[in-house]
Amino acid sequence: MRRSGRYGSVRWFAVVSSATAPVLLIGGWILAAALQPAGFDSLRGTISALAGHNATDRWVMTVALLGVGVCHCVTALGLRPIATPARVMLAAGGIATVLVAAFPLPRSGSSGAHQLAATVAFGCLALWPALSRVSGSAPQPVPPALMRAATGVLVTLVVLFCVALAAGVLVGLAERVAAGAQSLWPLTTVLALHPRTRAALGLTRAAG
């Protein structure tokens, strides 16, 4: 894979990890929800509830969350064309996702550790694209306006999830839309850095 920008090319394993993350997350919540007793509503029930101590076969969503977190860390390691602060924040979001699984919801009440981990995960995974600009005069690996727009969309989805959570309306749907979009953006970024994609968009010379 040819070099792109002063940080080099995106590594092959980032392609694998970024593609695996949304498969694990979305496939995990679909399978975990299917294993719950009749009456579980994915439009209202959260992803965390599927990994909580009250869930049936909670290991399914737990393993999925752990895998997603590891995938984000691996993707951050392989996104070499992206500025270091963005990669660090993506990795932080991955670590926080692992902690979401490590501190599940209890059988009753809430968990401060779980809420903190989920807040950090949502925040980091929404904000990292905005930090992707490479400093100095080096050509930008991806258009900064695109990455800022991505952060705007991801932050908006997180805010809508918070509103749904406060109102108690369609919490599960809002969370899945926000979390699903966050899991897909690393893959979108990796594909945008692929030489064939860049050539199709006319960015090959700028990245050279």
Side-chain angles (χ1 to χ4, degrees):
M1 190 175 290
R2 63 178 294 171
R3 296 183 66 82
S4 173
R6 79 185 201 187
Y7 288 89
S9 60
V10 61
R11 303 305 296 270
W12 66 267
F13 54 80
V15 178
V16 176
S17 59
S18 63
T20 302
V23 172
L24 283 175
L25 183 64
I26 298 172
W29 80 48
I30 291 174
L31 177 58
L35 294 172
Q36 301 311 303
F40 180 83
D41 187 352
S42 294
L43 296 179
R44 294 175 173 81
T46 65
I47 298 171
S48 294
L50 293 172
H53 285 293
N54 278 333
T56 300
D57 293 315
R58 56 179 293 268
W59 66 269
V60 173
M61 198 66 237
T62 298
V63 170
L65 289 171
L66 289 172
V68 170
V70 171
C71 283
H72 286 328
C73 292
V74 174
T75 301
L77 184 64
L79 273 176
R80 295 174 61 187
I82 297 297
T84 298
R87 296 169 64 194
V88 170
M89 184 160 285
L90 175 58
I95 293 171
T97 302
V98 170
L99 293 178
V100 168
F103 299 108
L105 290 176
R107 295 188 181 277
S108 61
S110 59
S111 167
H114 179 88
Q115 291 177 347
L116 176 60
T119 299
V120 172
F122 271 116
C124 289
L125 294 177
L127 295 174
W128 77 268
L131 302 178
S132 64
R133 182 179 179 86
V134 176
S135 62
S137 59
Q140 298 304 310
V142 288
L146 174 63
M147 300 302 272
R148 290 195 298 268
T151 285
V153 171
L154 295 176
V155 169
T156 298
L157 293 176
V158 171
V159 170
L160 291 175
F161 166 54
C162 293
V163 171
L165 189 63
V169 178
L170 299 179
V171 178
L173 176 61
E175 182 186 31
R176 283 162 175 76
V177 172
Q182 290 185 341
S183 73
L184 285 166
W185 190 252
L187 173 59
T188 302
T189 304
V190 167
L191 292 178
L193 292 169
H194 194 281
R196 290 183 180 178
T197 305
R198 298 185 68 81
L201 295 175
L203 297 174
T204 302
R205 179 175 298 179

